[in-house]
Amino acid sequence: MEKLNKEQLAAVTHKKGPLLIVAGAGTGKTTVITQKIAYMIEQGWAKEDEILALTFTEKAACEMEERVANLLPIGYLEFWISTFHSFGERILREHGLEIGLPADFKLLNEFQQYSLMKKNLDKFNLDYYHPLGNPTKFIKSLLSHFSRAKDENISPEDYLKYAEELKQNLDVALSGAGVKAKKAVQKLSSFSDAEGDFNKEIAEQEVMRINEVANAYHIYQQLLLEDSALDFGDLINYTLRLFKNRPMILEKYRKQFKYILLDEFQDTNWAQYELIKMLALPDNNLTVVGDDDQSIYKFRGASVSNILQFQGDFPEAKQIFLNQNYRNAQEILDLSYNFITLNNPNRLEYQLNKNKEDKLNKKLKSNTKEKAVVDTIKGTDLNDEVRQVVEKIADLKIKDKESHWSDFAILVRANESAKDFCSAFDIAGLPYQFLSSRGLYSKPVIMDVIAYFKLLDDYHESTAMFRILKLPIFDFTYRDLINFNFFARKKSLSLFEVIKNNNEMTAPLREKCNKVLNLIDKHTALVKEHPVSEIMIAFLNDSGYLKYLMDLPEGQAKEQVGFLNYFHKRTQEFEANADDKSVKEFLKELNMEIEAGEQGSLPFDVESGPDAIKIMTVHAAKGLEFKYVFLPNMVDKRFPTIERKEPIPIPDDLVKEILPEGDIHLEEERRLFYVAMTRAKTQIYFSYAPDYGGARMKKPSRFLTECKLVTEENYSQEKQEKDKFKTLEQKEKIFFEKQAEHIQLPSYFSHTQLTAFKNCPYQYYLGHILKVPTLGKHVFSFGRAMHLTLEKIFGLIMEKRGLGQGNLFDDKKSLEKNDKVKITWQEILKIYEENWIDDWYGGKENLKEYKERGKKILKDFYEKHKNNWPNVKSLERSVNLRIGGYRIFGKIDRIDDCGEKGIQIVDYKTGTPKQKGKLVIDDKEQLLIYQLAARQAMPEPICNLQFYYLDNNSEIDFLGNEKELEEMENRVLERIENIIESVRAGEFPPKPGPLCKFCDFKDICEYKKL
């Protein structure tokens, strides 16, 4: 609190009523939010589960929770800090049945929505949006339209009603003269010709089109419900419907959430804001934090009008402007502020100051003493512009000895503009990283895996075979590949047939060919019985490709393995929703996904990559900062861009948000440019050129003129002679010092991490730093299935008792209910079948054996407990422990209520039990950690710790004494400090030994001892 400035402190300590915090760029808004949450808990205003904090990305939510956790002196239970969509999903999982939603609904991503619509396209009765030559052309546009409708909380029923009214008005308008006909024509006034007169043909076509869209929206929503599925827009809209139709549930959450905080308020859509206003009543202890000048996500449905209207919705709201900037030099702040005021009067500062004598000021004041450099770079053409930018970066790096490559960022308006700079950096030999949230499938390492899948599906797909033969692990020369291709064309053979007919080749070449053939034979056998995720791991390990990647320089290895990890998760997502989990079916789905325009999502984490120049879009750079920022292609129609209208606009009569007057697109582009400028801490460079390859010369962007960085120039309409791109002359002068890859410290530790490091630091490095994807094990699938089944069984018992999974501080009387609960074996068997996981088993017999084993375990479990079920208080409860300032996270399988004695912590085990007297502290570690965590976070005493062994339905009970708990704290602290030391040194020494044969990484570890 001592580090907060006056305005920040006022925001943190504000207690009652609505609060609007206008937080300009670099003013520490995240600090204010996290401090405020911690302060409220510390002051006793609210408990951690009585505060709802919402933001827009999972990464932001995790960072917010982590920062709050670091501020709290002791452990805690779980926060309600999440994204809007995660919040909606949590509410609907708990209460969706109240409005007819299945509790186990699926959440569809964009591709799954496309797939659902494509498979059922004949049910949509499309005409206007169903061109014969390309019937799937408008699927994405329609889905985008449905999403925008949900942003405005327009239901299919609302849309159908509006469309039907249009049809009725049209019928009346076409029926003849009279007062009714004239009124109907007025209502259809938007359907006019070029002269502004009502046009029968236009009106008929538009009414038909709108009715077609409304009907398609209704059918799409029905398909989702029939498939027990929701899309992301549904999470908000159904939550709104739930609260409106079930006031008791709304009242429950109004009472629970004493305070609501909303980050990035300017990015909310209409439906999200309605949800927040509904929840905040009646006390309206609502804090919203935002900056209208940084509202740049209109294309995602964000409504800048929400923040502009907040004062009207909450006239009593206190306003706090954060204008102490801790990021940028003052010259950059002045330039940015003077520019963004051109968006007046559609700015919050302007509107709030209209009728006030004491003016609120959004002009930011820098707390840094750095002097800024603001400059422009003008090239003769695109190539020359790119060359000058690259040379400038190289020159700055040489002069600034303390700088890192990651201090430099090139922020482009569109991804296409990045390609020119990527090529230039390749030529120059400078390290760079192109950051994008899309494009996984185009990464070379992923293309290699996909090529191998295609090869297994069809040996004779020669393009796939060529890519595989090019892999360095097979060591074919360029001449070998040329000869293979030549022979294939000459004899009309596939490349597979060429390398198979290798009798006349030299012995070394024949050996290389046989290596590939043997690999294909081995995996062809696997493909028949194993899912695609297992085939992927088998290829990476058996071919030696994963080991080859691991031997690359550390930064490259981490990046490539990261791509593989993301793709492996994609195969697992496919398997989770597919009956046929084969390579063939995965390729079908992947091809459909690519056809739908998907490129494969990538987690966007600018801090996790190598030390390299960052290239990204301005949108992606929001929230980031760099010492040196370059904004290229600053010319007319590139930045600002030409407005692209929505392919299927929402009718104005259905739009609920209040749209500001003026040029909405230009104002959005100005805000985007403002965001770009405020990413630069000390130096910013704007580059442009007159010649970008078209027939006409380009003028400098109007934004450069508005910033007074250039004056209007009259370019000749004749093209100038181009200079060929030159390799940088400075390339020879640049000294590339090898810098150790920056490895981030974990934000928290878990028992799994601590155990992995204890067993072998190198195993910890592979599993928790690089996160190398590994083959799963059927014992893990079995264990997970048993855990899920037991969770659902006890969930059902709690439901029958009328308890539900409530707060751990629920009324004691309700928790002490001893009603006899009747649950049948048939109910348990049904739960088991629904939660069975059949992954990673060696074959059908093995799978059948384990499944029968699970049934026997559950039958014995049922017979043991059917007349006296444990009084369960909580299931799968997340707990956090703080030791020596470090955060340890865990999840407790079960917490039982033991009445006045306190609580019992239970952990399920599927292994062989030990005798109680033979348990040493190593065996007790996990539960001792949970005992420490529960002691910090829970008010009840811990009366017992229990390992429950499912194999023979036996228990081992114990309780850590003070000596054991103190020793456990010391062991955890020592292990964490050893991890931190290894991370900082970049060294993870292997510990080969007996455990190697059980290690997931034994196939790629050169230190293993089997």
Side-chain angles (χ1 to χ4, degrees), residues 377-394:
I377 296 172
K378 179 185 175 183
T380 56
D381 58 17
L382 174 60
N383 284 337
D384 186 49
E385 177 194 345
V386 171
R387 179 181 63 80
Q388 288 192 56
V389 168
V390 176
E391 285 185 344
K392 186 66 179 180
I393 291 174

Side-chain angles (χ1 to χ4, degrees), residues 88-101:
E89 182 176 4
R90 185 171 179 176
I91 297 296
L92 294 176
R93 295 280 184 204
E94 186 77 18
H95 304 288
L97 285 171
E98 295 280 347
I99 53 172
L101 296 178

Side-chain angles (χ1 to χ4, degrees), residues 808-855:
L808 277 183
F809 306 108
D810 281 342
D811 182 66
K812 199 72 178 172
K813 291 180 181 178
S814 68
L815 288 172
E816 290 176 354
K817 287 185 179 180
N818 287 315
D819 305 325
K820 293 295 182 183
V821 175
K822 296 296 181 184
I823 181 170
T824 66
W825 166 242
Q826 285 69 28
E827 287 176 302
I828 288 178
L829 197 58
K830 182 183 177 186
I831 291 172
Y832 179 58
E833 292 290 342
E834 289 174 347
N835 291 280
W836 176 254
I837 301 170
D838 58 5
D839 296 336
W840 302 106
Y841 290 90
K844 292 180 180 178
E845 288 302 314
N846 192 28
L847 188 151
K848 182 179 178 182
E849 176 187 340
Y850 267 85
K851 196 165 187 180
E852 289 302 315
R853 176 182 163 193
K855 286 181 185 177

